[in-house]
Amino acid sequence: MQDQLPEQGPRVQALLTAVTDDRQSLLKLGLGEGAFFPLDLMAFGALKRSISTASAMVMMVKAWNMVCARTLLRTHIDTSLRFSSAWLVEKPHDFATNILKGERIDRMKSRSGERLTDAYLVATRAPDYPWLPDVYANLSGYIHFSGSHITSAVARFGDNRTMEIEISETDLRFPEFSWIEVLECFREATAMLAHYLDGYRQTKSMTPEELAAGRRAG
């Protein structure tokens, strides 16, 4: 039977509460009234994935599971980035329809003819989110089995080229700032998604001319 885990520190606890509050704020955004479009479905899918990931993030941090917490952060950033890609294409509703048909986003193109790869999306959003390139690059190894998972099993290195291996679902050795960093980045990714969800809600009340001008600016 596993010993009872200690509670996270006060700063981490406050951030966990903030993540939960952010989740509730997303649910309250809404998409406005009026006609229903393909991009509405994409928005609902992004929202569903986001709030599910937020719920799981809170559980993983409370369980001191850094490997899963970092994987969830990368997933959360992916949701925000890929939903924002609708602002980069010529016809957002056709774009959403093609995604529903099973087409891969990274094989579709922006208005300028660039493939919507993860690297392109990160570079495009980096001016507004300067933390994004480094965080995204550091987290990519947590999606597929990689060196990040191998090193996570190493508890410490000793003398004479020895090492101590720890196989556990908990990561108690990480300092508080590591958990704070994960949660702060998670909140930043939530804010990114909220920005684009709210932007889409506003566009639904725009004229075609206003919408075209807004997409060019996005």
Side-chain angles (χ1 to χ4, degrees):
M1 182 175 177
Q2 185 176 347
D3 294 336
Q4 184 174 357
L5 294 171
E7 287 191 350
Q8 292 277 5
R11 292 180 65 191
V12 175
Q13 292 281 4
L15 283 167
L16 287 172
T17 299
V19 167
T20 301
D21 290 344
D22 292 343
R23 176 180 177 275
Q24 292 304 115
S25 296
L26 277 180
L27 286 171
K28 292 177 182 177
L29 269 179
L31 296 180
E33 299 179 356
F36 192 83
F37 300 100
L39 196 54
D40 289 57
L41 285 174
M42 186 175 176
F44 289 139
L47 180 59
K48 165 64 176 173
R49 192 187 195 201
S50 176
I51 64 169
S52 298
T53 307
S55 177
M57 173 62 83
V58 170
M59 289 189 287
M60 290 302 97
V61 174
K62 286 182 177 180
W64 296 82
N65 190 328
M66 182 62 85
V67 170
C68 284
R70 286 177 171 169
T71 303
L72 288 168
L73 174 56
R74 170 62 168 71
T75 300
H76 194 49
I77 294 172
D78 176 83
T79 302
S80 302
L81 275 177
R82 294 193 173 208
F83 182 68
S84 81
S85 64
W87 274 250
L88 303 173
V89 299
E90 189 64 37
K91 297 180 178 180
H93 296 302
D94 289 350
F95 173 69
T97 298
N98 289 334
I99 295 172
L100 287 168
K101 290 178 179 178
E103 292 192 32
R104 287 175 46 165
I105 291 176
D106 64 353
R107 292 182 179 173
M108 291 187 258
K109 293 185 177 181
S110 69
R111 292 189 301 275
S112 60
E114 299 284 347
R115 281 182 55 197
L116 298 172
T117 61
D118 291 350
Y120 176 73
L121 295 177
V122 169
T124 301
R125 298 308 177 202
D128 293 323
Y129 304 93
W131 55 271
L132 184 56
D134 287 343
V135 171
Y136 193 87
N138 290 334
L139 290 172
S140 291
Y142 281 87
I143 295 300
H144 305 289
F145 183 69
S146 69
S148 297
H149 299 100
I150 296 171
T151 57
S152 71
V154 179
R156 62 183 59 85
F157 291 96
D159 298 330
N160 301 319
R161 302 174 68 180
T162 62
M163 69 177 67
E164 182 178 334
I165 302 296
E166 181 181 15
I167 307 301
S168 171
E169 69 271 24
T170 59
D171 299 298
L172 296 172
R173 69 183 185 277
F174 280 93
E176 184 181 47
F177 73 79
S178 294
W179 301 98
I180 290 172
E181 181 181 51
V182 165
L183 292 171
E184 287 181 341
C185 289
F186 194 92
R187 295 196 69 207
E188 289 282 350
T190 301
M192 185 195 306
L193 179 60
H195 170 75
Y196 286 101
L197 284 171
D198 190 52
Y200 178 53
R201 179 185 62 80
Q202 294 181 44
T203 64
K204 293 186 71 175
S205 64
M206 290 181 178
T207 65
E209 293 76 15
E210 290 172 331
L211 179 57
R215 287 197 290 112
R216 286 195 297 271

